[in-house]
Amino acid sequence: KAIKVGINRIEFSTTENYLTLEKLAEAHQIDPAKYLYGIGQSKMAVPTPDEDTISIAANAAQDVLNTMTPEEVNTISTLIFATETGVDQSKSGAAYLMGLIDIHPNCRAFEVKQACYGGTAGLQMACDMVRARPDESVLVVACDIARYQQNTPGECTQGAGAVAMLITADPDIIEIDAERGCYSADIMDFWRPNQFKHALVDGELSKDAYLNVMTSSYQGYLVNGGKPLDQLEWLCFHQPFTKMAKKAFEHLSAQYPEQMADKTDAAYSISQQYGREIGNTYTASLYIGLLSLLDNAEQDLTGQTIGFFSYGSGAVGEFFSGTVNKNYRHAINTLANQQKLAARTALSYDTYCQYMYQLRDYDQANIRYNPTSGSNFRLAAIHDNKRVYERVL
Ligand code: CAA
């Protein structure tokens, strides 16, 4: 009998502050309805200079470790960190995490990159590792800060956040099916040369590439024995902005009208509730979407199958599926997740501009930007080009 593997724990984290898209629209002197409905975003997570992809990721990863016994932590054989906005060209974010979170040193730790697809690369690699060695578990952490040039069309889709997932045999939350369909091609739709802090993007090409790669990935998934759309109760899409997920739904509906006949995009918008309030989190976005669905669907999802589409510009896509386990409600911290979003602080447009575009990585004076923060970790200084993190709680 095939071993069941998948997500046993999942936690997310985001920044302490946000900007409402009404304020951004006001500053840009455009109708706020474009951002709220045309793009489908309401808030953008904004990092302070002492929040980076390591500190945000460490918060999510530690939340997973806090749910585990020391014996369970000892089963972790591998720590995979996925990001496209890492802090170092050589040292992996995973190596930084080894010094911050309560994990043991006898595991392999490394970083993976392929734009927003990296989280899925990590998840699928982890599932295959656990299929081969079911007594071991793998911690997958995905984190990004989405940053575009100021006053460009991408600005309203910025965001920041992390997700941490523990992959085990007999998972409590969702079993990931072995069937998957991948599609990779060399496409110049979104990229970030080494010397750039912000991403460069061909917006129209990126939307087309996303939809075309989705169709090819779904076809590959079917060829590999995957379930047709009418056997997938839910769909969860990569969400660069929530309107893109709606476009993905509409694209599949146009291409496969019979298989999609009983589906409404209103139902799928449950998976977009968190993303709408956080913005793009690149590698973490699909899995924050999953958490949004698990936390906010009123009905019991036990036994229901979710189809996932992961897209990373450049481009790699993957369509896969998973079935929700009966224990899922006990294994997720819905109240804590909702509180993480509710406890954030709204910024003025001017402060947002300072944090996002003027101040760079934390430097010199020891300013703690979020003194009442519930976060465990922050970037405390950069000395001699070495990043120094601090455990706050
Ligand atoms: N009221 C309501 N809706 C309005 C409106 C108003 N007053 N004004 C405009 N709109 C609507 C438009 O009709 C449009 O809707 P449709 O897409 O349904 O036609 C929507 O608002 C957006 O308007 P535009 O197309 O004019 O928007 P834009 O060109 O200014 O920017 C974008 C859109 C190109 C996607 C830009 O946000 C961008 O470059 N984003 C970054 C790239 C990106 O996220 N690409 C997605 C695919 S790539 C990917 O998924 C990987 C990744 O994470 C980056």
Side-chain angles (χ1 to χ4, degrees):
K1 194 165 162 254
I3 298 160
K4 294 180 173 180
V5 306
I7 304 169
N8 195 48
R9 292 287 176 273
I10 180 169
E11 300 284 344
F12 91 101
S13 66
T14 183
T15 61
E16 296 289 320
N17 301 285
Y18 66 88
L19 178 75
T20 65
L21 290 203
E22 281 102 335
K23 283 201 181 124
L24 186 68
E26 191 186 315
H28 287 176
Q29 297 185 310
I30 65 156
D31 180 357
K34 173 169 177 183
Y35 293 163
L36 296 175
Y37 307 108
I39 293 289
Q41 292 299 124
S42 64
K43 291 173 185 161
M44 171 200 301
V46 181
T48 46
D50 58 349
E51 289 174 315
D52 69 3
T53 45
I54 304 300
S55 70
I56 300 170
N59 282 313
Q62 186 60 43
D63 281 353
V64 166
L65 295 174
N66 287 345
T67 69
M68 300 169 69
T69 63
E71 293 72 32
E72 287 169 336
V73 173
N74 281 337
T75 67
I76 299 175
S77 68
T78 306
L79 168 60
I80 302 177
F81 185 61
T83 190
E84 57 177 296
T85 51
V87 299
D88 196 288
Q89 291 284 46
S90 174
K91 177 168 174 164
S92 75
Y96 278 105
L97 291 182
M98 292 302 299
L100 290 173
I101 60 176
D102 296 330
I103 195 169
H104 62 88
N106 305 110
C107 69
R108 68 170 77 83
F110 59 93
E111 186 169 307
V112 295
K113 178 181 70 184
Q114 175 25 59
C116 310
Y117 173 73
T120 302
L123 170 79
Q124 292 289 23
M125 216 188 296
C127 286
D128 285 344
M129 285 174 167
V130 176
R131 284 188 186 101
R133 293 185 168 81
D135 293 338
E136 297 181 358
S137 61
V138 178
L139 184 59
V140 179
V141 187
C143 182
D144 274 298
I145 295 173
R147 193 192 296 274
Y148 296 89
Q149 229 169 338
Q150 197 166 13
N151 300 322
T152 59
E155 184 181 353
C156 60
T157 69
Q158 291 177 149
V163 73
M165 300 181 279
L166 183 74
I167 310 306
T168 66
D170 294 321
D172 278 340
I173 297 177
I174 183 163
E175 181 196 341
I176 300 294
D177 297 330
E179 295 77 23
R180 73 276 298 251
C182 295
Y183 184 88
S184 300
D186 182 359
I187 303 174
M188 252 357 236
D189 61 330
F190 171 105
W191 65 107
R192 185 168 65 85
N194 286 345
Q195 69 275 24
F196 280 68
K197 275 276 180 201
H198 56 264
L200 304 176
V201 62
D202 180 338
E204 291 310 309
L205 178 63
S206 75
K207 288 188 284 187
D208 285 350
Y210 176 119
L211 297 176
N212 293 335
V213 168
M214 177 177 69
T215 304
S216 301
S217 302
Y218 172 61
Q219 286 167 351
Y221 164 78
L222 282 184
V223 168
N224 292 336
K227 300 178 179 78
L229 290 163
D230 51 8
Q231 289 176 30
L232 301 172
E233 275 100 352
W234 298 91
L235 292 172
C236 214
F237 301 101
H238 169 57
Q239 295 168 32
F241 46 98
T242 68
K243 181 67 161 294
M244 192 68 222
K246 188 169 168 23
K247 286 180 192 293
F249 181 90
E250 287 165 356
H251 192 73
L252 287 178
S253 298
Q255 288 188 310
Y256 303 96
E258 284 169 16
Q259 291 180 29
M260 293 286 286
D262 62 343
K263 295 180 167 39
T264 62
D265 72 344
Y268 295 122
S269 66
I270 300 169
S271 68
Q272 295 156 22
Q273 267 172 242
Y274 289 169
R276 189 184 305 278
E277 294 211 14
I278 297 174
N280 201 349
T281 53
Y282 295 159
T283 50
S285 144
L286 176 63
Y287 303 99
I288 288 180
L290 167 63
L291 201 50
S292 180
L293 173 63
L294 297 175
D295 275 342
N296 297 304
E298 279 173 20
Q299 65 270 54
D300 183 0
L301 300 179
T302 301
Q304 302 203 344
T305 303
I306 306 174
F308 296 91
F309 174 61
S310 176
Y311 178 70
S313 291
V316 177
E318 181 159 342
F319 199 103
F320 62 102
S321 53
T323 304
V324 180
N325 184 272
K326 61 180 182 343
N327 298 328
Y328 84 96
R329 277 198 160 133
H330 301 292
I332 53 175
N333 293 311
T334 299
L335 205 59
N337 292 338
Q338 290 165 346
Q339 279 167 354
K340 279 179 192 170
L341 290 177
R344 298 178 299 164
T345 304
L347 296 176
S348 69
Y349 175 73
D350 287 346
T351 309
Y352 151 76
C353 290
Q354 269 185 10
Y355 289 165
M356 205 65 193
Y357 295 109
Q358 288 153 20
L359 300 167
R360 280 300 177 210
D361 291 330
Y362 188 86
D363 212 356
Q364 310 294 331
N366 187 20
I367 299 167
R368 191 170 161 195
Y369 284 85
N370 303 299
T372 57
S373 160
S375 298
N376 278 300
F377 304 97
R378 61 184 283 270
L379 174 66
I382 301 177
H383 289 314
D384 297 334
N385 290 310
K386 295 174 190 161
R387 300 174 90 81
V388 181
Y389 293 90
E390 181 178 71
R391 191 160 182 164
V392 182
L393 298 178

